[in-house]
Amino acid sequence: MRSSKKSLRKILKLLLFLIDVLFIPGLSLAVFVYLLGDIKQLFHINMPHKKHTSGQSVNSWNWRVESYSDFVYHRVSDYVTDDITNFLIAAEPCHPPVKPGMIYNGTANVDYDGLFLISTSASNLENRRILRHMYNRYDNTKPYRIRAVFLVGRSSDLIVQANIEREDYQFRDIIQGNFTDHYANLTYKTIMGYRWARLYCRKVKVMLKMDDDVYLDVFKFFDYFLPIIPRRRRTVYGFLNFQPKVFREGKYKVDKGEYAKNTYPDFTSGFFIVPTLDILDDLYQVSKIIRFVHLEDVFTYGLVREAMIDVQLVHLDTITYEWKVYKDCVNDYKYRCKYMAVESPLSELLPCYDQVMTFRRQLGLPGGADKEIQLRH
């Protein structure tokens, strides 16, 4: 009897031990899993979805966290999706659609000569302030009317995000997508811009996409493109790269898991692009069925363009990403210098404009303000 009582005590002690060892951590794990749902919502983390039996992933996410001076979270999808390119903030339309969500059918009068889609980092407040003043003020672009909008992603920095929302409230020229603002997400940013353009700003004469560190002489731009764009179809103008090599190291690194071939299709560099408006619908739809590559010019103007079959690339030798080449040309030839656009240091954006306008006044050419720009804070 005593031995059975001792055995019972041992069993009870063992049970208490197991409860102490297993139950409490298990309960903690259950609580953690429950709270994980809120954590996912907080940081916009999408866990991988189930796959089809064929093995093709549908909206499956690979996600990672990268540490910089500020916390940066970004996600990379196998494909561009409607969800990623949704507008968290959408700039005021050039021409409102007949009904919400409808593609504008182009029946209204033309209000703008050009649409400028400007890819910008969420934190580049000063770049946007200068470019907004240069391109969205008719006094500085007359006789041409320009609609310039800025493409950004979400920011985890609350101050930066608040600045974006304040800019949008004041200027209505911000388009913010449902992805983290990060270099690896430039492809999403570009496709989002084209999606917005096809919905809300089709009735313009010419459209361009450029980076926020590009200086553009709007007068040379319109003088060049307005005569030829009406006669061209399914064309992309830019700085053409022939049979470009795939880099496996460095800033433009793409591993074989993302792109297996050793060369890309010919593509135009993304810092300055002029597509004809008739490719917008196909470009957006085809971008959703081509496997994602994070280099936006390779993806958009190489892989997607190639899949569209009948879209041609035209090289522009009137643009350059080399600042010294541009400055040497201007020093040698003044306004006869052939370049209309150049990647520019931030400090040179306004001086470039002022110099161009001085040249035009000296030559008696019309356009722009009668004196140098006074940037208003």
Side-chain angles (χ1 to χ4, degrees):
M1 187 73 175
R2 289 179 179 176
S3 60
S4 63
K5 288 183 177 180
K6 288 181 179 179
S7 299
L8 183 60
R9 289 195 190 99
K10 288 181 178 179
I11 292 172
L12 289 174
K13 286 182 179 180
L14 179 60
L15 288 173
L16 290 172
F17 174 78
L18 291 174
I19 290 172
D20 185 49
V21 171
L22 299 178
F23 179 75
I24 294 177
L27 180 62
S28 300
L29 179 61
V31 172
F32 172 77
V33 171
Y34 177 80
L35 293 176
L36 182 60
D38 292 334
I39 293 172
K40 287 160 61 181
Q41 291 295 322
L42 178 61
F43 290 103
H44 307 286
I45 297 175
N46 287 310
M47 304 301 282
H49 292 195
K50 292 182 179 180
K51 295 183 178 181
H52 284 303
T53 54
S54 65
Q56 183 179 3
S57 174
V58 177
N59 291 336
S60 63
W61 295 104
N62 301 313
W63 62 277
R64 62 180 180 268
V65 174
E66 297 191 1
S67 297
Y68 296 90
S69 56
D70 297 321
F71 172 80
V72 175
Y73 166 80
H74 66 94
R75 61 193 185 187
V76 179
S77 171
D78 291 336
Y79 295 89
V80 174
T81 67
D82 290 334
D83 178 65
I84 296 173
T85 57
N86 272 344
F87 313 126
L88 302 181
I89 297 175
E92 184 178 8
C94 300
H95 311 288
V98 179
K99 294 181 181 178
M102 286 186 62
I103 296 175
Y104 172 67
N105 61 16
T107 58
N109 293 328
V110 175
D111 296 319
Y112 296 100
D113 296 293
L115 169 64
F116 291 6
L117 300 173
I118 303 177
S119 183
T120 178
S121 172
S123 60
N124 285 0
L125 178 65
E126 185 67 8
N127 296 63
R128 291 191 294 276
R129 191 167 67 92
I130 292 174
L131 295 178
R132 187 177 286 127
H133 196 84
M134 289 169 58
Y135 302 136
N136 273 345
R137 289 180 61 87
Y138 179 64
D139 284 348
N140 299 328
T141 64
K142 61 183 181 184
Y144 304 113
R145 292 192 180 275
I146 298 169
R147 175 73 164 130
V149 296
F150 298 94
L151 313 176
V152 301
R154 292 193 315 263
S155 176
S156 58
D157 186 314
L158 296 181
I159 295 177
V160 171
Q161 182 60 34
N163 285 336
I164 288 290
E165 293 173 9
R166 186 175 68 247
E167 285 181 77
D168 176 66
Y169 179 80
Q170 183 175 359
F171 301 107
R172 300 299 309 278
D173 60 4
I174 299 292
I175 305 172
Q176 186 173 49
N178 189 27
F179 52 86
T180 299
D181 199 84
H182 189 275
Y183 175 76
N185 289 340
L186 285 177
T187 297
Y188 299 146
K189 195 174 290 186
T190 295
I191 300 302
M192 174 192 69
Y194 290 139
R195 181 183 185 182
W196 182 89
R198 66 190 282 270
L199 288 170
Y200 302 120
C201 204
R202 294 171 72 100
K203 194 62 175 179
V204 292
K205 296 176 182 176
V206 61
M207 179 184 69
L208 73 83
K209 199 285 297 183
M210 69 180 187
D211 294 341
D212 70 352
D213 61 350
V214 171
Y215 168 72
L216 170 66
D217 181 338
V218 297
F219 308 102
K220 283 184 178 179
F221 171 78
F222 284 113
D223 287 347
Y224 182 90
F225 280 105
L226 286 184
I228 65 173
I229 283 291
R231 304 197 305 269
R232 297 303 296 263
R233 295 289 183 270
R234 302 187 72 77
T235 304
V236 175
Y237 297 86
F239 191 95
L240 187 54
N241 298 275
F242 295 96
Q243 298 180 336
K245 178 183 176 182
V246 178
F247 293 100
R248 303 300 182 189
E249 300 293 337
K251 178 180 179 181
Y252 303 110
K253 173 184 176 181
V254 172
D255 60 38
K256 289 195 173 183
E258 188 174 1
Y259 185 79
K261 297 180 181 179
N262 293 323
T263 58
Y264 299 119
D266 295 346
F267 68 90
T268 43
S269 296
F271 73 97
F272 185 91
I273 296 291
V274 183
T276 54
L277 292 165
D278 59 331
I279 70 170
L280 287 183
D281 292 336
D282 287 351
L283 189 152
Y284 179 67
Q285 296 300 338
V286 173
S287 73
K288 296 188 290 183
I289 62 174
I290 301 299
R291 195 170 187 278
F292 178 87
V293 172
H294 76 273
L295 300 179
E296 60 98 12
D297 45 12
V298 168
F299 178 80
T300 310
Y301 314 111
L303 301 175
V304 174
R305 186 271 315 162
E306 183 181 53
M308 293 165 66
I309 301 176
D310 59 344
V311 176
Q312 65 173 327
L313 302 178
V314 174
H315 176 67
L316 291 176
D317 66 353
T318 55
I319 62 176
T320 180
Y321 52 83
E322 298 184 58
W323 175 246
K324 185 179 184 304
V325 170
Y326 173 80
K327 289 302 293 182
D328 288 345
C329 181
V330 171
N331 289 336
D332 290 340
Y333 300 104
K334 302 296 188 290
Y335 202 59
R336 291 183 292 114
C337 173
K338 68 178 181 178
Y339 294 115
M340 71 171 73
V342 58
E343 284 192 343
S344 168
L346 175 63
S347 61
E348 296 294 335
L349 287 174
L350 282 177
C352 277
Y353 175 91
D354 290 336
Q355 183 180 50
V356 162
M357 293 314 302
T358 298
F359 288 154
R360 289 183 68 86
R361 284 192 293 271
Q362 290 173 350
L363 294 171
L365 298 174
D370 295 329
K371 57 183 179 179
E372 294 182 352
I373 290 181
Q374 297 299 315
L375 183 59
R376 299 173 184 172
H377 292 263

